[in-house]
């Protein structure tokens, strides 16, 4: 997995608009997941700007699904 960027922006993805995201800027963590050194999946995760930096780091280093599962079941 390779971290591409952590930016502060509003979601403009039409699919995300279905979920009624906040109008203010959020943190966006973008990364590419590789299999056998080939790009397999591009992902972006939007987080509230008031989350702790440690949580942002975890989203940057791990799959979002893993982080959400750990949070939900801890």
């Amino acid at each position: 997995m390779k971290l591409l960027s952590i930016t502060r922006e509003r979601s403009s993805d039409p699919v995300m608009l279905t979920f009624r995201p906040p109008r203010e800027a959020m943190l966006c963590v973008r990364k590419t997941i590789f299999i056998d050194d080939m790009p397999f999946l591009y992902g972006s995760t939007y987080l509230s700007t008031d989350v702790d930096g440690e949580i942002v780091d975890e989203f940057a280093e791990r799959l979002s699904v893993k982080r959400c599962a750990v949070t939900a079941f801890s």
Side-chain angles (χ1 to χ4, degrees):
M1 187 164 34
K2 178 182 178 184
L3 176 65
L4 301 175
S5 65
I6 299 176
T7 59
R8 190 179 170 118
E9 62 189 67
R10 288 181 50 196
S11 174
S12 60
D13 184 344
V15 174
M16 290 294 291
L17 296 177
T18 305
F19 299 106
R20 298 183 186 170
R23 293 188 183 274
E24 64 270 3
M26 299 178 72
L27 294 177
C28 180
V29 179
R30 288 191 175 85
K31 54 195 158 195
T32 301
I33 298 168
F34 294 84
I35 294 179
D36 296 329
D37 294 324
M38 297 290 292
F40 173 73
L41 181 70
Y42 169 82
S44 46
T45 304
Y46 285 89
L47 304 168
S48 172
T49 55
D50 63 351
V51 296
D52 185 72
E54 188 175 307
I55 293 173
V56 175
D57 291 343
E58 286 188 42
F59 271 96
E61 296 168 2
R62 297 189 176 111
L63 293 174
S64 301
V65 174
K66 262 188 189 177
R67 174 63 186 145
C68 292
V70 169
T71 301
F73 296 108
S74 293

